[in-house]
Amino acid sequence: IPSNGSLRSPPRSYIYQKRWVKLDTDYLRYFDSDKDTYSKRLIPVSSISRVSSVGDQKFEVVTNNRNFVFRAENDADRNEWIRTLQQIAEERKSKAAARTLMSLATDSATELADKSGFLELRGFKHKLFVVVAGDKVFLYKNAEDYRLGIGITYIEMNVGNVKEVDRRGFDLTTPYRIFSFSADSEQEKEEWVEAMQQSITEALSNSEVAERIWVVEPNRFCADCGSPKPDWASINLCVVICKRCAGEHRGLGPGITKVRSLKMDRKVWTEELIELFQQFGNIMANQFWAANVPPSEAISPTSGSQERRRFLIAKYREGKYRHYHPLFGNQEELDRALCAAVTTSDLAETQALLFCGASVTCDTGDPQCPTPLALAERSGQRLQMEFLLHNKTSGWFGGCHGVGQSSGRLLSALLCCAEFSRRWCTLQDGVLSYYENDRNTVPNGEIRVEEIVCLPLCSCRAWHSCSGPHEGTFEVYTEADRLYLFGLESPDSAREWVKSIAKSFVHPRAEELLALDFERLGRLHYKGGLTLQRAQEGWFALVGSTLHVCSEDGHQQEPLQLRKLQELCEYPCPAGRTPWLGGRMCPPNPALKAASSSGDTLSEQQLTESDVPLLVDRCIDYITQCGMGQGIYRKSGQNSKTTSLLEVLQRDARCVRLKEGEHQVDDVANTLKRFFRDLGDGLFTRRWAPDWLWATALEDEGAKVGKYRQLLAALPPVNRATLKALINHLFRVQCFSGENQMNTHNLAIVFGPTLFQTDGKDYKAGRVVEDLISHYVEIFNVNDQEMKKQQDEITAIMKMREASSSGTQQAGDFICTVYLEEKKTETEQHVKVSATMTAEELTFEILDRRKIVMKEKDYWSCFEVNEREEA
């Protein structure tokens, strides 16, 4: 192979290097030796335009953008290579839709990747362009090579494992090699790790169903855009689709298309459903749905999200391209024809009738078989039954489906959008059944309570934009990833039904949860405590922002205050596991929503353990560390930056890390002041604010302090804790008044109008703040130990500032002695600790110095020890 990979140099300048070359249906790859797993270069077969002989033992592979010259051992080998390459290239050309990721030499090719960008890789001088796509990770020399489709190698993620190593670094480990990557930032690293973990999940999923469905040639390509190896499907439309089209299908709603994974949703894929896809599949579906698609409106694997969405809405929701049944528009004739079709094996006829308006629950006129489903069952038509079952709750049948009224009659709007239809429902012997009316004996459908995983109460208008009288709604999630929506005329009636259903499916060991006024109740797999290696099943109830937990052994654990969590994030759900409170089907994730700030009052914010809003705690901590200098709280920050910072902190303060250099002190100070000025109900509350202002008129200082203490006790707990934290901070600031010119009086001028939300003309507001700072110890009952701790902290800050101003070290840095596992001279390490260094970073630095490699199940902790050697 010529080392420069090009034919622009004269033949005599070629330097050939011996390489082991492999050819498969997708790629031509070459390796250093036949023992290597990962190639030095790969060329997509689909990009090869010509293969020809160029002299003794040599042949040239011409791609769309680059040429490669190979030399075989002899002319016979060369001829065999040429023949095989030409044959495979011709086969690929005849299947234009079957294009792999690397064969797409277009500007929009990057849209096919789950994650792409530049990363440093140990062993390479320059950054590589890395792409995570499906169950593989691809490496390119640069973005241009990616656009051209010429890569270095790809990594099969079914043998991969991803582990974070430091703030920006992570390892992708395989049995054959460790790939050590480094990102530009910690956030970027986390995004890469998450993308690769999802790729591993996809790679480890069960591909048996996919392989069986792909046996049918048309099913090997997406029914909508033609992408190869689609591993998703719409089980009611009987089409196999790619990942990107599946995302747009979900946007159409489950009333039109029910999306499932071929590899992960194993429970859904019964033998009948697999057989249905083998006999029906993409070719029959598209003969109906895509019978009249103009070439200008068709989409391809490279189409963008908006283009896909527009096409799929036209194709499935509007039925713009479908092949209309001759009976279209005649409801009575459509229903009669459907009853006849389901007794035969003509699935195409059933499809055309259903999706042109025939009702799957129409009256057959046969008392023994009142529905088309019953007719198909009597006729032994298993695949007709399967098709009808998956379309029982679709929104194609002349309007929306559903149930209900009140007290004995429960309304079930099954995944439809605008209205509910009435159904008679019963809950008996662990089965929730719904009927056409109270006279019918054969139910339209049944839900077994042991299959239920989650029961959320919800607002009909909030979740589904429904109109009508149904003020109370609830949902039922099942193990098969099905969602049922029920509605009643009042919230109380909905809660009665939910309580009754919950009693039937909640384990006796978790019955205590039924007494709670929960918004969501369900069972989940979880890991916790010292059993992180094994998933347990437990029962969970969400009440406001509190999550109540009952473990599988019946032990009720201490409730989790979600707004007080240090960290909360979503992880991809492993195949076969129940999603987080039904989270996969129910955006936004209810736990994330409950844990976020939900309003503009103090009690609705994310909180610390001491009941102080996390936003306030973050700002105060940063200003204490970095902003005790001149002008604090008097200089104005940039309005746009203040607005932006306040928005992200109010959205999720847990995810925000204020760092010196990235955030200006004046912007943070402005953010804190604006938060209090805009606070709903104010810090002192509308009820008690006038009493605080009135107290300033008391001339006797003792009486005034007593009144302040009385008013402090009357405040809500969160307001009381927040006021103490703020005044404690201002008390510290005035300790540095010699440097920052912010004495007690000046701070009062700034914070009085802010905290009382006045125009600044009433001097009493400033007087309250001045009194609170001056009498901080008495009003807030600060004991000697707490006071000494604060004085020590102030002294430490002053020492660090003195050291900073003298130039002996950077502001906030100090030398710390750290011992590894035991206090011995040989285990001693001296580390420079910055003001922003975390315990995790300190731990990694020590381990790196001692060249200790962390194993997967190792747990390292960092302890701070006082002078008496107490941890």
Side-chain angles (χ1 to χ4, degrees):
I1 303 171
S3 57
N4 61 1
S6 148
L7 286 181
R8 286 180 289 183
S9 303
R12 62 180 177 274
S13 68
Y14 284 166
I15 300 173
Y16 287 89
Q17 297 174 334
K18 197 163 189 177
R19 295 283 187 259
W20 182 260
V21 184
K22 288 183 181 179
L23 173 65
D24 56 34
T25 54
D26 291 326
Y27 303 110
L28 176 66
R29 296 178 289 166
Y30 58 83
F31 305 75
D32 276 336
S33 74
D34 59 349
K35 296 181 175 61
D36 287 349
T37 303
Y38 301 110
S39 60
K40 303 283 287 185
R41 182 66 97 187
L42 54 80
I43 307 160
V45 171
S46 55
S47 71
I48 297 175
S49 58
R50 182 167 54 85
V51 184
S52 60
S53 172
V54 288
D56 293 342
Q57 304 170 14
K58 288 177 283 195
F59 62 94
E60 182 181 37
V61 176
V62 180
T63 71
N64 300 333
N65 308 94
R66 194 172 297 178
N67 300 349
F68 298 84
V69 176
F70 295 83
R71 187 172 69 193
E73 294 288 340
N74 51 58
D75 286 345
D77 282 349
R78 178 201 61 188
N79 295 339
E80 180 66 17
W81 274 104
I82 293 174
R83 185 189 63 77
T84 307
L85 278 166
Q86 287 175 338
Q87 180 182 342
I88 291 182
E90 286 301 319
E91 288 176 359
R92 297 287 289 188
K93 284 179 185 176
S94 65
K95 300 172 183 176
R99 290 180 288 178
T100 65
L101 171 77
M102 292 196 174
S103 69
L104 297 168
T106 67
D107 292 335
S108 61
T110 52
E111 294 184 17
L112 295 176
D114 299 314
K115 173 74 176 170
S116 63
F118 286 98
L119 287 174
E120 295 176 16
L121 176 59
R122 188 180 299 166
F124 287 82
K125 291 181 180 179
H126 304 288
K127 289 183 178 180
L128 298 184
F129 193 80
V130 183
V131 177
V132 180
D135 57 359
K136 295 182 181 67
V137 171
F138 297 87
L139 305 182
Y140 300 84
K141 283 187 176 180
N142 49 53
E144 178 66 13
D145 275 6
Y146 172 45
R147 192 184 70 79
L148 298 176
I150 307 297
I152 298 172
T153 191
Y154 64 80
I155 305 158
E156 299 274 6
M157 295 299 277
N158 61 335
V159 294
N161 182 42
V162 184
K163 184 173 69 173
E164 299 183 41
V165 238
D166 54 37
R167 288 185 64 185
R168 297 190 301 113
F170 63 96
D171 286 348
L172 171 55
T173 306
T174 73
Y176 319 105
R177 179 178 169 182
I178 297 176
F179 297 86
S180 297
F181 294 102
S182 182
D184 289 336
S185 66
E186 187 172 0
Q187 180 181 352
E188 186 75 9
K189 176 204 69 177
E190 290 171 357
E191 292 175 3
W192 277 105
V193 170
E194 181 182 359
M196 290 191 184
Q197 285 174 339
Q198 289 182 348
S199 180
I200 292 171
T201 301
E202 186 169 338
L204 294 177
S205 54
N206 194 327
S207 59
E208 178 191 349
V209 171
E211 295 294 344
R212 291 179 63 185
I213 288 176
W214 289 342
V215 166
V216 181
E217 178 72 19
N219 290 347
R220 295 179 191 172
F221 307 101
C222 176
D224 297 324
C225 74
S227 291
K229 294 186 177 178
D231 52 6
W232 292 82
S234 171
I235 58 174
N236 65 308
L237 301 177
C238 288
V239 291
V240 188
I241 53 180
C242 68
K243 184 177 181 179
R244 298 188 69 210
C245 286
E248 301 304 330
H249 268 256
R250 289 194 190 92
L252 299 177
I256 293 177
T257 172
K258 300 176 176 65
V259 181
R260 298 293 183 271
S261 169
L262 298 184
K263 296 181 177 180
M264 292 181 281
D265 295 319
R266 188 63 186 89
K267 288 185 178 180
V268 174
W269 295 98
T270 61
E271 282 299 315
E272 287 78 12
L273 185 57
I274 294 173
E275 192 176 335
L276 181 63
F277 267 75
Q278 289 173 334
Q279 290 196 21
F280 196 99
N282 287 358
I283 188 166
M284 194 181 296
N286 272 340
Q287 284 172 356
F288 174 77
W289 289 110
N292 303 293
V293 180
S296 60
E297 296 183 25
I299 59 174
S300 69
T302 60
S303 297
S305 297
Q306 289 187 348
E307 201 177 345
R308 289 172 193 268
R309 190 177 305 120
R310 194 162 41 245
F311 175 77
L312 296 179
I313 287 173
K315 182 177 180 180
Y316 297 113
R317 179 180 288 171
E318 300 170 359
K320 182 178 179 180
Y321 315 121
R322 62 183 160 175
H323 178 75
Y324 283 91
H325 195 279
L327 298 176
F328 180 77
N330 189 330
Q331 189 65 50
E332 187 176 339
E333 290 298 323
L334 283 169
D335 291 347
R336 187 179 295 115
L338 177 65
C339 293
V342 297
T343 62
T344 72
S345 59
D346 193 347
L347 291 166
E349 176 71 2
T350 301
Q351 171 195 237
L353 289 164
L354 269 184
F355 295 134
C356 281
S359 173
V360 75
T361 57
C362 65
D363 188 359
T364 64
D366 185 341
Q368 294 182 335
C369 298
T371 64
L373 180 62
L375 286 175
E377 183 176 12
R378 185 175 65 182
S379 303
Q381 297 295 333
R382 294 165 43 251
L383 300 188
Q384 293 277 15
M385 289 174 61
E386 189 72 15
F387 186 68
L388 293 172
L389 279 170
H390 288 293
N391 281 287
K392 283 181 68 175
T393 59
S394 297
W396 288 103
F397 320 126
C400 296
H401 295 263
V403 286
Q405 192 165 245
S406 56
S407 60
R409 196 173 272 195
L410 179 65
L411 303 177
S412 138
L414 299 180
L415 300 175
C416 302
C417 47
E419 299 174 352
F420 288 93
S421 301
R422 187 169 296 179
R423 295 289 183 270
W424 179 262
C425 294
T426 63
L427 178 63
Q428 187 174 7
D429 298 329
V431 179
L432 176 62
S433 307
Y434 47 95
Y435 300 79
E436 189 73 28
N437 54 55
D438 57 357
R439 297 182 301 277
N440 279 28
T441 57
V442 179
N444 287 9
E446 294 179 341
I447 307 170
R448 296 190 173 276
V449 294
E450 65 266 20
E451 297 174 353
I452 298 175
V453 295
C454 185
L455 277 175
L457 277 160
C458 60
S459 163
C460 179
R461 288 184 174 85
W463 283 89
H464 297 277
S465 303
C466 297
S467 59
H470 312 297
E471 296 293 331
T473 60
F474 66 91
E475 296 167 348
V476 176
Y477 292 89
T478 67
E479 290 177 339
D481 256 6
R482 287 193 175 183
L483 162 64
Y484 300 81
L485 173 65
F486 297 84
L488 295 99
E489 290 180 347
S490 73
D492 290 340
S493 299
R495 183 165 288 281
E496 283 182 25
W497 270 95
V498 168
K499 290 280 188 180
S500 299
I501 297 171
K503 287 178 183 176
S504 301
F505 94 97
V506 170
H507 196 279
R509 290 194 296 262
E511 283 183 346
E512 295 179 18
L513 299 179
L514 297 175
L516 301 172
D517 192 24
F518 58 82
E519 301 155 22
R520 182 174 290 260
L521 178 73
R523 53 188 169 94
L524 299 169
H525 287 90
Y526 71 99
K527 296 178 181 180
L530 299 176
T531 58
L532 293 176
Q533 287 74 36
R534 185 178 69 88
Q536 309 174 60
E537 185 175 77
W539 294 87
F540 294 77
L542 188 63
V543 182
S545 62
T546 304
L547 187 64
H548 297 262
V549 185
C550 188
S551 60
E552 60 184 2
D553 58 5
H555 176 65
Q556 190 161 355
Q557 302 176 19
E558 185 177 348
L560 294 172
Q561 302 295 333
L562 297 182
R563 288 201 184 123
K564 290 187 177 183
L565 295 180
Q566 291 184 11
E567 186 177 352
L568 178 65
C569 55
E570 285 188 285
Y571 284 94
C573 181
R577 295 283 173 82
T578 304
W580 169 254
L581 295 182
R584 180 164 52 171
M585 294 176 58
C586 185
N589 186 311
L592 293 176
K593 184 179 178 183
S596 62
S597 299
S598 59
D600 60 356
T601 64
L602 281 176
S603 60
E604 294 173 308
Q605 308 300 310
Q606 293 172 328
L607 303 172
T608 65
E609 280 297 322
S610 54
D611 279 338
V612 177
L614 198 55
L615 182 154
V616 174
D617 184 72
R618 287 269 197 271
C619 291
I620 286 177
D621 184 58
Y622 181 76
I623 294 168
T624 302
Q625 292 286 341
C626 309
M628 291 299 209
Q630 187 172 0
I632 184 65
Y633 291 122
R634 298 189 77 170
K635 292 181 181 178
S636 294
Q638 292 186 28
N639 188 53
S640 59
K641 290 185 177 179
T642 299
T643 302
S644 175
L645 182 57
L646 183 59
E647 285 179 359
V648 296
L649 283 167
Q650 286 183 317
R651 190 183 310 124
D652 190 357
R654 271 188 297 264
C655 296
V656 180
R657 294 291 182 269
L658 299 175
K659 296 180 180 179
E660 196 168 8
E662 292 184 21
H663 301 91
Q664 299 301 315
V665 171
D666 294 328
D667 295 333
V668 177
N670 245 25
T671 300
L672 183 64
K673 288 189 293 183
R674 187 180 295 184
F675 170 75
F676 282 116
R677 178 170 283 281
D678 297 342
L679 193 62
D681 200 35
L683 178 59
F684 292 96
T685 74
R686 294 188 182 93
R687 165 70 179 82
W688 295 108
D691 295 54
W692 284 88
L693 296 174
W694 173 85
T696 60
L698 295 174
E699 295 182 0
D700 182 76
E701 288 297 308
K704 189 193 296 185
V705 169
K707 183 62 176 177
Y708 284 146
R709 293 186 63 173
Q710 181 184 346
L711 291 170
L712 181 66
L715 289 177
V718 176
N719 295 58
R720 189 162 59 246
T722 305
L723 180 59
K724 180 178 180 180
L726 178 63
I727 299 302
N728 169 263
H729 169 62
L730 299 181
F731 178 80
R732 294 187 185 196
V733 172
Q734 61 87 33
C735 291
F736 294 94
S737 58
E739 297 181 38
N740 56 37
Q741 309 302 313
M742 292 302 286
N743 56 29
T744 302
H745 180 70
N746 289 340
L747 287 170
I749 292 174
V750 173
F751 275 91
T754 297
L755 300 184
F756 282 93
Q757 301 174 338
T758 64
D759 57 7
K761 295 179 180 179
D762 189 349
Y763 73 93
K764 294 177 184 176
R767 186 64 185 277
V768 172
V769 175
E770 189 169 354
D771 288 339
L772 290 174
I773 299 173
S774 301
H775 300 286
Y776 166 67
V777 175
E778 297 91 338
I779 294 173
F780 293 95
N781 196 26
V782 181
N783 58 40
D784 292 342
Q785 184 179 357
E786 190 175 351
M787 197 63 198
K788 182 180 183 305
K789 180 182 177 183
Q790 292 181 14
Q791 292 294 344
D792 290 343
E793 290 174 357
I794 293 171
T795 302
I797 292 171
M798 293 177 69
K799 285 182 178 179
M800 284 191 288
R801 294 190 63 78
E802 288 172 6
S804 173
S805 60
S806 65
T808 55
Q809 62 177 27
Q810 293 183 3
D813 292 357
F814 64 94
I815 303 300
C816 180
T817 302
V818 180
Y819 296 94
L820 183 64
E821 296 191 305
E822 53 185 339
K823 189 177 180 182
K824 291 183 177 179
T825 306
E826 57 268 26
T827 66
E828 184 177 283
Q829 294 284 328
H830 299 287
V831 183
K832 184 164 76 171
V833 179
S834 68
T836 58
M837 178 178 268
T838 65
E840 181 184 30
E841 292 168 343
L842 177 61
T843 303
F844 279 131
E845 181 162 339
I846 295 296
L847 295 177
D848 286 344
R849 286 189 183 189
R850 300 304 293 265
K851 294 183 172 51
I852 295 175
V853 179
M854 281 190 63
K855 297 178 182 176
E856 187 176 353
K857 296 182 180 180
D858 283 355
Y859 294 91
W860 287 89
S861 299
C862 180
F863 296 92
E864 184 179 353
V865 181
N866 64 17
E867 57 190 6
R868 295 189 298 275
E869 299 192 3
E870 296 172 340

